[in-house]
Amino acid sequence: MTQQGVWGAGRAQGGPAEAADAVGRRLGTLEPRVAIVLGSGLGGLADTVRDAIRLPYAEIPGFPAPGAPGHKGELVAGMLEGVPVLVQSGRFHLYEGHAPSVAGLPVRVFARLGVPTLIVTNAAGGIRHTFRPPTLMLIADHINLMWRNPLVGPVEEGEERFPDMSDPYDPELRALAREVARQERVSLEEGVYAALLGPSFETPAEIRMLQRLGADAVGMSTVPEVVVARARGIRCLGVSAITNVAAGLSARTLSHEEVLDAGRQVAGALEGLIKGVLRKLGTQRPPSRPQR
């Protein structure tokens, strides 16, 4: 096997420009202000988009079919709470064998379409002892333990070579989410998300290591999208659905079915939180759009 096959370092087949052109043609005059990436078991939000334009991944150059259960495989564009949005229902995980550039491809498409704000969601295991799954955690920061970075290689057009990651998750958007949670009485924790490659769940020893590193939750996604977004100047808001207690912190064994079931239980609260944030964004002056 080549080094590219081992490390997933190759670039996506069908680049951001071709994919953005294909999506842009379907969007017509719609100019999304917010892109939303939906995690495992959290795809119901896409069904609430009004005047929906559905783009199956098979129609978008470079977009593979998602291989993880609970991920549909389509972009859904339209209006949500009065805000034009582009919803990604089905993400590309590195554990499926995808190159980091493939995991980051949808965000590069969002950037070329001029989307200034990205909301990322995921299902995660709870490390902090006070978590009582299922619950929601606002992502304040992350730890990249995937040992992959979608910015490796030639610099993509419009991206910074060395993006600042001091505030990967926008402080103003996080404050907005906390305000919505208080108003809507949504239980919302806040903490640090650790991203591991997967697909195996973590061992109890690995969870103890993550505790010492300062992680509050652990999952297998999100970081590649956020890294690309920050390289393009897109501001990010991240929310984890804490679907289970991490390995070694309870007597229960872990399964993806449990993750999906718990995700469905907390999906209503997450949907309400995102819609509340969108309503507040709809009353604000849009931020500057990234360079296309």
Side-chain angles (χ1 to χ4, degrees):
M1 183 179 289
T2 66
Q3 186 180 30
Q4 176 173 319
V6 172
W7 293 105
R11 315 304 285 178
Q13 299 299 311
E18 295 90 340
D21 286 345
V23 175
R25 285 194 295 270
R26 290 291 307 276
L27 295 186
T29 60
L30 183 71
E31 294 188 353
R33 282 184 55 188
V34 179
I36 306 169
V37 181
L38 301 178
S40 297
L42 304 173
L45 184 69
D47 295 328
T48 68
V49 175
R50 297 184 58 187
D51 303 321
I53 303 168
R54 297 183 179 275
L55 296 85
Y57 287 172
E59 298 178 6
I60 306 173
F63 276 47
H71 291 258
K72 275 189 178 180
E74 63 179 3
L75 295 183
V76 181
M79 302 297 294
L80 194 57
E81 300 300 316
V83 177
V85 299
L86 187 55
V87 179
Q88 182 185 346
S89 183
R91 59 158 40 104
F92 310 131
H93 299 85
L94 299 187
Y95 64 69
E96 297 173 70
H98 296 310
S101 59
V102 174
L105 175 60
V107 177
R108 286 180 164 127
V109 170
F110 303 154
R112 284 181 172 270
L113 294 172
V115 178
T117 301
L118 175 69
I119 299 176
V120 289
T121 71
N122 60 55
I127 296 175
R128 191 191 299 168
H129 287 287
T130 56
F131 284 167
R132 296 292 179 266
T135 190
L136 300 180
M137 185 191 84
L138 188 63
I139 303 176
D141 203 347
H142 70 232
I143 303 171
N144 184 3
L145 295 177
M146 291 177 154
W147 316 119
R148 312 284 190 276
N149 191 305
L151 306 184
V152 170
V155 181
E156 293 279 354
E157 182 182 355
E159 292 183 7
E160 291 186 48
R161 171 80 289 181
F162 305 108
D164 175 57
M165 297 297 290
S166 300
D167 280 314
Y169 302 90
D170 188 81
E172 293 183 4
L173 290 177
R174 284 160 47 204
L176 205 62
R178 289 191 294 268
E179 181 182 348
V180 170
R182 286 193 298 269
Q183 293 174 346
E184 301 293 331
R185 297 186 178 180
V186 173
S187 178
L188 183 64
E189 305 281 353
E190 188 164 5
V192 175
Y193 173 83
L196 275 64
L197 180 62
S200 53
F201 288 113
E202 304 73 32
T203 67
E206 289 167 341
I207 293 302
R208 292 193 295 272
M209 174 194 73
L210 293 173
Q211 287 176 320
R212 292 178 172 87
L213 290 176
D216 299 293
V218 59
M220 306 173 190
S221 67
T222 300
V223 167
E225 293 107 321
V226 171
V227 169
V228 170
R230 296 308 303 136
R232 288 301 302 259
I234 296 174
R235 59 182 189 160
C236 300
L237 176 68
V239 183
S240 292
I242 307 300
T243 54
N244 57 276
V245 174
L249 302 181
S250 78
R252 298 182 63 176
T253 58
L254 304 180
S255 71
H256 193 65
E257 290 72 24
E258 177 189 6
V259 170
L260 294 177
D261 181 60
R264 286 187 285 268
Q265 293 179 47
V266 79
L270 179 59
E271 181 178 312
L273 181 67
I274 292 176
K275 287 183 174 180
V277 169
L278 289 175
R279 283 194 296 272
K280 290 188 176 295
L281 289 176
T283 66
Q284 298 178 355
R285 182 177 180 179
S288 59
R289 301 171 74 85
Q291 181 181 354
R292 303 194 184 199

